[in-house]
Amino acid sequence: MNLLRAAFAISGLTLLSRFSGLARDVLIARLFGAGSNVDAFWVAFRLPNLLRRLFAEGAFSQAFVPIFAHTNATHGTSRAHELLSHVASALFWIVLTVSAVGVVAAPALVVLIASGFLKTPLVFDLATLLTRWMFPYILFMSLVVCASGVLNTFGRFAVPAITPVLLNLSMIALMVLAAPHVHPPILALAIGVLVGGVLQLAVQIPALARIQMLPRFGSLRAALADPHVVRVLRQMGPAVFAVSVAQLSLIINTAIASYLGAGSNAWLSFADRLMEFPTALLGVALGTVLLPSLSRAHADGRPEQYSRLLDWGLRLTCLIALPAMVAMVMLADGMIGALFAGGRFDGHDVSQTAAALIGYAVGLIGLIGVKILAPGFYARQDIRTPVRIAVAVLLATQVANLALVPWLRHAGLALSVSLGACANAGMLLIGLRRRGIYHPLPGWTRFLARLLLALCTLAVLLWLIRGNLPAPGPASSLLDRVGWISIVVGAGGGLYLAVLWMLGFRLRDFLLRSA
């Protein structure tokens, strides 16, 4: 399997998801603005998203994929299918229980994540209502992630990558069709989340059937009798802790933002939406192809290939993440204004969201780097090392919050996350090097020197454009503003690629096969 081709395919499909998500958020900004109701929605949406990452995307994938890949490689597809059935059954019953508890305990959860809402009872009650509607979403998404891990292990990346589009389309459809007919109107978004979860699970079923990996559900007792399931759950223990440490930082930031005034959580959420584009382009794609590839290399006893995979991922990270970081820092106002300005989203919202985007963009290399380096431990079924690093980063992030939030307010929260991500990536890299897991291939000094020259050229071009090419005003049409920012970003990207070509970079230099 050509990993670069697979990564590009996943990038394209994931970017489609992010574009649909951007369209969703633009519509939210136009219809609802960035006030208290939108704050309540994002807080309520963050709760099931947090548990989805806790039980599904993060902890489950890290624990399940290496064990499933090893079982499939050493014991064959029949035993792998049996393991999948038992794991899916255990996941279903456990997350079903968690979902039920979440619906009942929604008020307490809102207090936990956004206690500042207690000062405004109407907002608190709305957040509680939305939480109850959206909490069952984690049940569907847990099973979706289970299916995606299996499909990715078998090299079927397309369906898992395109699946998130269904959530965004569902939310858009319900926002347009149902919002005028429900009270409060923003409840339509919560209903859209639940419907989107059902659709995401439904589309996985035919894909699993085609590879004869459709699980057979049974009782929790029968599932726990399988020693491999117990092993997965044991691995999930430290994995859940690792993911919970990272998510705890988000909870703390959400709680702090709830005290910084109306709009703070919304500004951070809209800025985070733009950050998802480069993380989707590289972080999600490379993380998806690297974990099963690294797991196979480890199972086959090929340490050289293991190290080569990590080196390949790090070079691509530098090549794409660094120019994206430069562009987002220099064009933050233009990007936010072009995409979100208008309706109830005014100039103040634009400037505040742009400040948050700059804070996030500073740490883009770290945010993506973690997605490349952490699988270097997970594929070896070493989850404890990233946990220890995550705990240290959490403490450092809160120290940064104490220093930055009084000065920069909500933008300080974004900057703290960025600094923590860079520290996390740096410590993961040091850990891989000290254990002899990763050995950098020759040529890194020349690679970084040429890359720095290309980045400087890009920065100069963007600086000249900002100073000499006025952006369309807020009264201009959305099409004009999006067209302007597209031309600017396209010109910068074209120049960057041209300079890389002149400096000797070639696509063939980044081709790598998993076998």
Side-chain angles (χ1 to χ4, degrees), residues 38-58:
V38 178
D39 274 350
F41 170 76
W42 288 122
V43 166
F45 192 33
R46 190 158 294 165
L47 284 165
N49 259 338
L50 185 151
L51 286 178
R52 171 175 60 85
R53 292 169 180 167
L54 201 63
F55 286 102
E57 285 184 357

mmCIF file with all atom_site columns, all heavy atoms in Angstrom, residues 38-58:
data_model
loop_
_atom_site.group_PDB
_atom_site.id
_atom_site.type_symbol
_atom_site.label_atom_id
_atom_site.label_alt_id
_atom_site.label_comp_id
_atom_site.label_asym_id
_atom_site.label_entity_id
_atom_site.label_seq_id
_atom_site.pdbx_PDB_ins_code
_atom_site.Cartn_x
_atom_site.Cartn_y
_atom_site.Cartn_z
_atom_site.occupancy
_atom_site.B_iso_or_equiv
_atom_site.pdbx_formal_charge
_atom_site.auth_seq_id
_atom_site.auth_comp_id
_atom_site.auth_asym_id
_atom_site.auth_atom_id
_atom_site.pdbx_PDB_model_num
ATOM 1   N N   . VAL A 1 38 ? -25.666 30.118 21.563 1.00 0.00 ? 38 VAL A N   1
ATOM 2   C CA  . VAL A 1 38 ? -24.630 29.367 20.852 1.00 0.00 ? 38 VAL A CA  1
ATOM 3   C C   . VAL A 1 38 ? -23.589 28.853 21.833 1.00 0.00 ? 38 VAL A C   1
ATOM 4   O O   . VAL A 1 38 ? -23.074 27.735 21.696 1.00 0.00 ? 38 VAL A O   1
ATOM 5   C CB  . VAL A 1 38 ? -23.983 30.242 19.752 1.00 0.00 ? 38 VAL A CB  1
ATOM 6   C CG1 . VAL A 1 38 ? -22.877 29.478 19.031 1.00 0.00 ? 38 VAL A CG1 1
ATOM 7   C CG2 . VAL A 1 38 ? -25.039 30.691 18.750 1.00 0.00 ? 38 VAL A CG2 1
ATOM 8   N N   . ASP A 1 39 ? -23.269 29.662 22.848 1.00 0.00 ? 39 ASP A N   1
ATOM 9   C CA  . ASP A 1 39 ? -22.377 29.169 23.910 1.00 0.00 ? 39 ASP A CA  1
ATOM 10  C C   . ASP A 1 39 ? -22.947 27.900 24.541 1.00 0.00 ? 39 ASP A C   1
ATOM 11  O O   . ASP A 1 39 ? -22.235 26.920 24.782 1.00 0.00 ? 39 ASP A O   1
ATOM 12  C CB  . ASP A 1 39 ? -22.198 30.243 24.994 1.00 0.00 ? 39 ASP A CB  1
ATOM 13  C CG  . ASP A 1 39 ? -21.094 31.232 24.667 1.00 0.00 ? 39 ASP A CG  1
ATOM 14  O OD1 . ASP A 1 39 ? -20.342 30.968 23.707 1.00 0.00 ? 39 ASP A OD1 1
ATOM 15  O OD2 . ASP A 1 39 ? -20.995 32.262 25.344 1.00 0.00 ? 39 ASP A OD2 1
ATOM 16  N N   . ALA A 1 40 ? -24.262 27.928 24.819 1.00 0.00 ? 40 ALA A N   1
ATOM 17  C CA  . ALA A 1 40 ? -24.909 26.763 25.436 1.00 0.00 ? 40 ALA A CA  1
ATOM 18  C C   . ALA A 1 40 ? -24.817 25.547 24.524 1.00 0.00 ? 40 ALA A C   1
ATOM 19  O O   . ALA A 1 40 ? -24.567 24.423 24.992 1.00 0.00 ? 40 ALA A O   1
ATOM 20  C CB  . ALA A 1 40 ? -26.372 27.081 25.747 1.00 0.00 ? 40 ALA A CB  1
ATOM 21  N N   . PHE A 1 41 ? -25.004 25.758 23.219 1.00 0.00 ? 41 PHE A N   1
ATOM 22  C CA  . PHE A 1 41 ? -24.922 24.622 22.299 1.00 0.00 ? 41 PHE A CA  1
ATOM 23  C C   . PHE A 1 41 ? -23.521 24.034 22.275 1.00 0.00 ? 41 PHE A C   1
ATOM 24  O O   . PHE A 1 41 ? -23.332 22.814 22.350 1.00 0.00 ? 41 PHE A O   1
ATOM 25  C CB  . PHE A 1 41 ? -25.324 25.041 20.885 1.00 0.00 ? 41 PHE A CB  1
ATOM 26  C CG  . PHE A 1 41 ? -25.017 23.979 19.862 1.00 0.00 ? 41 PHE A CG  1
ATOM 27  C CD1 . PHE A 1 41 ? -25.811 22.851 19.750 1.00 0.00 ? 41 PHE A CD1 1
ATOM 28  C CD2 . PHE A 1 41 ? -23.896 24.089 19.037 1.00 0.00 ? 41 PHE A CD2 1
ATOM 29  C CE1 . PHE A 1 41 ? -25.518 21.848 18.831 1.00 0.00 ? 41 PHE A CE1 1
ATOM 30  C CE2 . PHE A 1 41 ? -23.594 23.098 18.116 1.00 0.00 ? 41 PHE A CE2 1
ATOM 31  C CZ  . PHE A 1 41 ? -24.410 21.976 18.009 1.00 0.00 ? 41 PHE A CZ  1
ATOM 32  N N   . TRP A 1 42 ? -22.497 24.889 22.155 1.00 0.00 ? 42 TRP A N   1
ATOM 33  C CA  . TRP A 1 42 ? -21.126 24.363 22.055 1.00 0.00 ? 42 TRP A CA  1
ATOM 34  C C   . TRP A 1 42 ? -20.706 23.651 23.337 1.00 0.00 ? 42 TRP A C   1
ATOM 35  O O   . TRP A 1 42 ? -19.987 22.648 23.286 1.00 0.00 ? 42 TRP A O   1
ATOM 36  C CB  . TRP A 1 42 ? -20.145 25.492 21.723 1.00 0.00 ? 42 TRP A CB  1
ATOM 37  C CG  . TRP A 1 42 ? -20.251 26.004 20.314 1.00 0.00 ? 42 TRP A CG  1
ATOM 38  C CD1 . TRP A 1 42 ? -20.506 27.282 19.921 1.00 0.00 ? 42 TRP A CD1 1
ATOM 39  C CD2 . TRP A 1 42 ? -20.116 25.242 19.109 1.00 0.00 ? 42 TRP A CD2 1
ATOM 40  N NE1 . TRP A 1 42 ? -20.549 27.369 18.554 1.00 0.00 ? 42 TRP A NE1 1
ATOM 41  C CE2 . TRP A 1 42 ? -20.305 26.133 18.031 1.00 0.00 ? 42 TRP A CE2 1
ATOM 42  C CE3 . TRP A 1 42 ? -19.862 23.906 18.834 1.00 0.00 ? 42 TRP A CE3 1
ATOM 43  C CZ2 . TRP A 1 42 ? -20.237 25.726 16.699 1.00 0.00 ? 42 TRP A CZ2 1
ATOM 44  C CZ3 . TRP A 1 42 ? -19.799 23.489 17.512 1.00 0.00 ? 42 TRP A CZ3 1
ATOM 45  C CH2 . TRP A 1 42 ? -19.989 24.385 16.460 1.00 0.00 ? 42 TRP A CH2 1
ATOM 46  N N   . VAL A 1 43 ? -21.150 24.164 24.469 1.00 0.00 ? 43 VAL A N   1
ATOM 47  C CA  . VAL A 1 43 ? -20.841 23.483 25.731 1.00 0.00 ? 43 VAL A CA  1
ATOM 48  C C   . VAL A 1 43 ? -21.529 22.125 25.765 1.00 0.00 ? 43 VAL A C   1
ATOM 49  O O   . VAL A 1 43 ? -20.920 21.097 26.114 1.00 0.00 ? 43 VAL A O   1
ATOM 50  C CB  . VAL A 1 43 ? -21.273 24.346 26.932 1.00 0.00 ? 43 VAL A CB  1
ATOM 51  C CG1 . VAL A 1 43 ? -21.282 23.520 28.213 1.00 0.00 ? 43 VAL A CG1 1
ATOM 52  C CG2 . VAL A 1 43 ? -20.332 25.540 27.089 1.00 0.00 ? 43 VAL A CG2 1
ATOM 53  N N   . ALA A 1 44 ? -22.812 22.085 25.391 1.00 0.00 ? 44 ALA A N   1
ATOM 54  C CA  . ALA A 1 44 ? -23.546 20.823 25.402 1.00 0.00 ? 44 ALA A CA  1
ATOM 55  C C   . ALA A 1 44 ? -22.965 19.838 24.384 1.00 0.00 ? 44 ALA A C   1
ATOM 56  O O   . ALA A 1 44 ? -22.890 18.630 24.640 1.00 0.00 ? 44 ALA A O   1
ATOM 57  C CB  . ALA A 1 44 ? -25.023 21.081 25.103 1.00 0.00 ? 44 ALA A CB  1
ATOM 58  N N   . PHE A 1 45 ? -22.547 20.326 23.238 1.00 0.00 ? 45 PHE A N   1
ATOM 59  C CA  . PHE A 1 45 ? -21.965 19.471 22.202 1.00 0.00 ? 45 PHE A CA  1
ATOM 60  C C   . PHE A 1 45 ? -20.599 18.949 22.643 1.00 0.00 ? 45 PHE A C   1
ATOM 61  O O   . PHE A 1 45 ? -20.173 17.855 22.259 1.00 0.00 ? 45 PHE A O   1
ATOM 62  C CB  . PHE A 1 45 ? -21.853 20.264 20.902 1.00 0.00 ? 45 PHE A CB  1
ATOM 63  C CG  . PHE A 1 45 ? -21.535 19.425 19.693 1.00 0.00 ? 45 PHE A CG  1
ATOM 64  C CD1 . PHE A 1 45 ? -21.993 18.121 19.572 1.00 0.00 ? 45 PHE A CD1 1
ATOM 65  C CD2 . PHE A 1 45 ? -20.786 19.947 18.653 1.00 0.00 ? 45 PHE A CD2 1
ATOM 66  C CE1 . PHE A 1 45 ? -21.716 17.356 18.453 1.00 0.00 ? 45 PHE A CE1 1
ATOM 67  C CE2 . PHE A 1 45 ? -20.502 19.195 17.523 1.00 0.00 ? 45 PHE A CE2 1
ATOM 68  C CZ  . PHE A 1 45 ? -20.967 17.894 17.428 1.00 0.00 ? 45 PHE A CZ  1
ATOM 69  N N   . ARG A 1 46 ? -19.906 19.741 23.453 1.00 0.00 ? 46 ARG A N   1
ATOM 70  C CA  . ARG A 1 46 ? -18.579 19.326 23.905 1.00 0.00 ? 46 ARG A CA  1
ATOM 71  C C   . ARG A 1 46 ? -18.649 18.121 24.845 1.00 0.00 ? 46 ARG A C   1
ATOM 72  O O   . ARG A 1 46 ? -17.728 17.304 24.881 1.00 0.00 ? 46 ARG A O   1
ATOM 73  C CB  . ARG A 1 46 ? -17.888 20.501 24.601 1.00 0.00 ? 46 ARG A CB  1
ATOM 74  C CG  . ARG A 1 46 ? -16.420 20.275 24.913 1.00 0.00 ? 46 ARG A CG  1
ATOM 75  C CD  . ARG A 1 46 ? -15.714 21.596 25.086 1.00 0.00 ? 46 ARG A CD  1
ATOM 76  N NE  . ARG A 1 46 ? -15.678 22.333 23.831 1.00 0.00 ? 46 ARG A NE  1
ATOM 77  C CZ  . ARG A 1 46 ? -15.374 23.630 23.742 1.00 0.00 ? 46 ARG A CZ  1
ATOM 78  N NH1 . ARG A 1 46 ? -15.100 24.318 24.824 1.00 0.00 ? 46 ARG A NH1 1
ATOM 79  N NH2 . ARG A 1 46 ? -15.355 24.231 22.576 1.00 0.00 ? 46 ARG A NH2 1
ATOM 80  N N   . LEU A 1 47 ? -19.735 18.000 25.587 1.00 0.00 ? 47 LEU A N   1
ATOM 81  C CA  . LEU A 1 47 ? -19.848 16.888 26.536 1.00 0.00 ? 47 LEU A CA  1
ATOM 82  C C   . LEU A 1 47 ? -19.873 15.533 25.825 1.00 0.00 ? 47 LEU A C   1
ATOM 83  O O   . LEU A 1 47 ? -19.045 14.667 26.125 1.00 0.00 ? 47 LEU A O   1
ATOM 84  C CB  . LEU A 1 47 ? -21.082 17.072 27.408 1.00 0.00 ? 47 LEU A CB  1
ATOM 85  C CG  . LEU A 1 47 ? -20.944 18.133 28.509 1.00 0.00 ? 47 LEU A CG  1
ATOM 86  C CD1 . LEU A 1 47 ? -22.315 18.494 29.071 1.00 0.00 ? 47 LEU A CD1 1
ATOM 87  C CD2 . LEU A 1 47 ? -20.034 17.626 29.614 1.00 0.00 ? 47 LEU A CD2 1
ATOM 88  N N   . PRO A 1 48 ? -20.779 15.272 24.877 1.00 0.00 ? 48 PRO A N   1
ATOM 89  C CA  . PRO A 1 48 ? -20.711 13.982 24.182 1.00 0.00 ? 48 PRO A CA  1
ATOM 90  C C   . PRO A 1 48 ? -19.456 13.838 23.338 1.00 0.00 ? 48 PRO A C   1
ATOM 91  O O   . PRO A 1 48 ? -18.927 12.736 23.189 1.00 0.00 ? 48 PRO A O   1
ATOM 92  C CB  . PRO A 1 48 ? -21.978 13.976 23.308 1.00 0.00 ? 48 PRO A CB  1
ATOM 93  C CG  . PRO A 1 48 ? -22.371 15.397 23.175 1.00 0.00 ? 48 PRO A CG  1
ATOM 94  C CD  . PRO A 1 48 ? -21.967 16.057 24.456 1.00 0.00 ? 48 PRO A CD  1
ATOM 95  N N   . ASN A 1 49 ? -18.963 14.953 22.795 1.00 0.00 ? 49 ASN A N   1
ATOM 96  C CA  . ASN A 1 49 ? -17.716 14.878 22.033 1.00 0.00 ? 49 ASN A CA  1
ATOM 97  C C   . ASN A 1 49 ? -16.556 14.445 22.915 1.00 0.00 ? 49 ASN A C   1
ATOM 98  O O   . ASN A 1 49 ? -15.679 13.680 22.501 1.00 0.00 ? 49 ASN A O   1
ATOM 99  C CB  . ASN A 1 49 ? -17.395 16.234 21.401 1.00 0.00 ? 49 ASN A CB  1
ATOM 100 C CG  . ASN A 1 49 ? -17.774 16.278 19.944 1.00 0.00 ? 49 ASN A CG  1
ATOM 101 O OD1 . ASN A 1 49 ? -17.892 15.233 19.288 1.00 0.00 ? 49 ASN A OD1 1
ATOM 102 N ND2 . ASN A 1 49 ? -17.966 17.458 19.407 1.00 0.00 ? 49 ASN A ND2 1
ATOM 103 N N   . LEU A 1 50 ? -16.553 14.958 24.140 1.00 0.00 ? 50 LEU A N   1
ATOM 104 C CA  . LEU A 1 50 ? -15.494 14.590 25.082 1.00 0.00 ? 50 LEU A CA  1
ATOM 105 C C   . LEU A 1 50 ? -15.515 13.085 25.355 1.00 0.00 ? 50 LEU A C   1
ATOM 106 O O   . LEU A 1 50 ? -14.495 12.406 25.290 1.00 0.00 ? 50 LEU A O   1
ATOM 107 C CB  . LEU A 1 50 ? -15.675 15.379 26.370 1.00 0.00 ? 50 LEU A CB  1
ATOM 108 C CG  . LEU A 1 50 ? -14.614 15.239 27.459 1.00 0.00 ? 50 LEU A CG  1
ATOM 109 C CD1 . LEU A 1 50 ? -14.555 16.521 28.262 1.00 0.00 ? 50 LEU A CD1 1
ATOM 110 C CD2 . LEU A 1 50 ? -14.941 14.083 28.400 1.00 0.00 ? 50 LEU A CD2 1
ATOM 111 N N   . LEU A 1 51 ? -16.712 12.558 25.648 1.00 0.00 ? 51 LEU A N   1
ATOM 112 C CA  . LEU A 1 51 ? -16.810 11.130 25.927 1.00 0.00 ? 51 LEU A CA  1
ATOM 113 C C   . LEU A 1 51 ? -16.599 10.288 24.673 1.00 0.00 ? 51 LEU A C   1
ATOM 114 O O   . LEU A 1 51 ? -16.117 9.159  24.751 1.00 0.00 ? 51 LEU A O   1
ATOM 115 C CB  . LEU A 1 51 ? -18.166 10.822 26.556 1.00 0.00 ? 51 LEU A CB  1
ATOM 116 C CG  . LEU A 1 51 ? -18.300 11.278 28.012 1.00 0.00 ? 51 LEU A CG  1
ATOM 117 C CD1 . LEU A 1 51 ? -19.683 10.972 28.540 1.00 0.00 ? 51 LEU A CD1 1
ATOM 118 C CD2 . LEU A 1 51 ? -17.263 10.617 28.894 1.00 0.00 ? 51 LEU A CD2 1
ATOM 119 N N   . ARG A 1 52 ? -16.973 10.836 23.516 1.00 0.00 ? 52 ARG A N   1
ATOM 120 C CA  . ARG A 1 52 ? -16.697 10.121 22.266 1.00 0.00 ? 52 ARG A CA  1
ATOM 121 C C   . ARG A 1 52 ? -15.188 9.918  22.117 1.00 0.00 ? 52 ARG A C   1
ATOM 122 O O   . ARG A 1 52 ? -14.721 8.839  21.757 1.00 0.00 ? 52 ARG A O   1
ATOM 123 C CB  . ARG A 1 52 ? -17.238 10.921 21.080 1.00 0.00 ? 52 ARG A CB  1
ATOM 124 C CG  . ARG A 1 52 ? -16.821 10.374 19.721 1.00 0.00 ? 52 ARG A CG  1
ATOM 125 C CD  . ARG A 1 52 ? -17.497 11.156 18.616 1.00 0.00 ? 52 ARG A CD  1
ATOM 126 N NE  . ARG A 1 52 ? -17.168 12.563 18.628 1.00 0.00 ? 52 ARG A NE  1
ATOM 127 C CZ  . ARG A 1 52 ? -16.087 13.077 18.051 1.00 0.00 ? 52 ARG A CZ  1
ATOM 128 N NH1 . ARG A 1 52 ? -15.222 12.280 17.437 1.00 0.00 ? 52 ARG A NH1 1
ATOM 129 N NH2 . ARG A 1 52 ? -15.859 14.369 18.082 1.00 0.00 ? 52 ARG A NH2 1
ATOM 130 N N   . ARG A 1 53 ? -14.418 10.956 22.396 1.00 0.00 ? 53 ARG A N   1
ATOM 131 C CA  . ARG A 1 53 ? -12.967 10.831 22.304 1.00 0.00 ? 53 ARG A CA  1
ATOM 132 C C   . ARG A 1 53 ? -12.419 9.950  23.420 1.00 0.00 ? 53 ARG A C   1
ATOM 133 O O   . ARG A 1 53 ? -11.435 9.233  23.237 1.00 0.00 ? 53 ARG A O   1
ATOM 134 C CB  . ARG A 1 53 ? -12.338 12.222 22.361 1.00 0.00 ? 53 ARG A CB  1
ATOM 135 C CG  . ARG A 1 53 ? -12.650 13.055 21.127 1.00 0.00 ? 53 ARG A CG  1
ATOM 136 C CD  . ARG A 1 53 ? -12.268 14.495 21.302 1.00 0.00 ? 53 ARG A CD  1
ATOM 137 N NE  . ARG A 1 53 ? -12.580 15.267 20.096 1.00 0.00 ? 53 ARG A NE  1
ATOM 138 C CZ  . ARG A 1 53 ? -12.579 16.594 20.053 1.00 0.00 ? 53 ARG A CZ  1
ATOM 139 N NH1 . ARG A 1 53 ? -12.299 17.294 21.138 1.00 0.00 ? 53 ARG A NH1 1
ATOM 140 N NH2 . ARG A 1 53 ? -12.880 17.221 18.927 1.00 0.00 ? 53 ARG A NH2 1
ATOM 141 N N   . LEU A 1 54 ? -13.082 10.015 24.579 1.00 0.00 ? 54 LEU A N   1
ATOM 142 C CA  . LEU A 1 54 ? -12.622 9.246  25.724 1.00 0.00 ? 54 LEU A CA  1
ATOM 143 C C   . LEU A 1 54 ? -12.817 7.753  25.495 1.00 0.00 ? 54 LEU A C   1
ATOM 144 O O   . LEU A 1 54 ? -11.888 6.952  25.677 1.00 0.00 ? 54 LEU A O   1
ATOM 145 C CB  . LEU A 1 54 ? -13.404 9.690  26.970 1.00 0.00 ? 54 LEU A CB  1
ATOM 146 C CG  . LEU A 1 54 ? -12.778 9.402  28.328 1.00 0.00 ? 54 LEU A CG  1
ATOM 147 C CD1 . LEU A 1 54 ? -11.478 10.142 28.482 1.00 0.00 ? 54 LEU A CD1 1
ATOM 148 C CD2 . LEU A 1 54 ? -13.751 9.814  29.430 1.00 0.00 ? 54 LEU A CD2 1
ATOM 149 N N   . PHE A 1 55 ? -14.013 7.358  25.065 1.00 0.00 ? 55 PHE A N   1
ATOM 150 C CA  . PHE A 1 55 ? -14.332 5.941  24.903 1.00 0.00 ? 55 PHE A CA  1
ATOM 151 C C   . PHE A 1 55 ? -14.073 5.439  23.488 1.00 0.00 ? 55 PHE A C   1
ATOM 152 O O   . PHE A 1 55 ? -13.978 4.232  23.274 1.00 0.00 ? 55 PHE A O   1
ATOM 153 C CB  . PHE A 1 55 ? -15.806 5.691  25.262 1.00 0.00 ? 55 PHE A CB  1
ATOM 154 C CG  . PHE A 1 55 ? -16.076 5.745  26.724 1.00 0.00 ? 55 PHE A CG  1
ATOM 155 C CD1 . PHE A 1 55 ? -16.661 6.854  27.290 1.00 0.00 ? 55 PHE A CD1 1
ATOM 156 C CD2 . PHE A 1 55 ? -15.734 4.688  27.552 1.00 0.00 ? 55 PHE A CD2 1
ATOM 157 C CE1 . PHE A 1 55 ? -16.916 6.919  28.644 1.00 0.00 ? 55 PHE A CE1 1
ATOM 158 C CE2 . PHE A 1 55 ? -15.984 4.748  28.918 1.00 0.00 ? 55 PHE A CE2 1
ATOM 159 C CZ  . PHE A 1 55 ? -16.581 5.853  29.459 1.00 0.00 ? 55 PHE A CZ  1
ATOM 160 N N   . ALA A 1 56 ? -14.008 6.333  22.537 1.00 0.00 ? 56 ALA A N   1
ATOM 161 C CA  . ALA A 1 56 ? -13.979 5.874  21.154 1.00 0.00 ? 56 ALA A CA  1
ATOM 162 C C   . ALA A 1 56 ? -12.704 6.286  20.444 1.00 0.00 ? 56 ALA A C   1
ATOM 163 O O   . ALA A 1 56 ? -11.725 5.553  20.431 1.00 0.00 ? 56 ALA A O   1
ATOM 164 C CB  . ALA A 1 56 ? -15.208 6.416  20.420 1.00 0.00 ? 56 ALA A CB  1
ATOM 165 N N   . GLU A 1 57 ? -12.696 7.475  19.865 1.00 0.00 ? 57 GLU A N   1
ATOM 166 C CA  . GLU A 1 57 ? -11.621 7.839  18.944 1.00 0.00 ? 57 GLU A CA  1
ATOM 167 C C   . GLU A 1 57 ? -10.239 7.676  19.553 1.00 0.00 ? 57 GLU A C   1
ATOM 168 O O   . GLU A 1 57 ? -9.339  7.120  18.947 1.00 0.00 ? 57 GLU A O   1
ATOM 169 C CB  . GLU A 1 57 ? -11.804 9.286  18.468 1.00 0.00 ? 57 GLU A CB  1
ATOM 170 C CG  . GLU A 1 57 ? -12.906 9.442  17.448 1.00 0.00 ? 57 GLU A CG  1
ATOM 171 C CD  . GLU A 1 57 ? -12.989 10.865 16.944 1.00 0.00 ? 57 GLU A CD  1
ATOM 172 O OE1 . GLU A 1 57 ? -12.232 11.718 17.432 1.00 0.00 ? 57 GLU A OE1 1
ATOM 173 O OE2 . GLU A 1 57 ? -13.823 11.120 16.065 1.00 0.00 ? 57 GLU A OE2 1
ATOM 174 N N   . GLY A 1 58 ? -10.064 8.189  20.775 1.00 0.00 ? 58 GLY A N   1
ATOM 175 C CA  . GLY A 1 58 ? -8.738  8.139  21.345 1.00 0.00 ? 58 GLY A CA  1
ATOM 176 C C   . GLY A 1 58 ? -8.415  6.817  21.995 1.00 0.00 ? 58 GLY A C   1
ATOM 177 O O   . GLY A 1 58 ? -7.656  6.009  21.474 1.00 0.00 ? 58 GLY A O   1
#
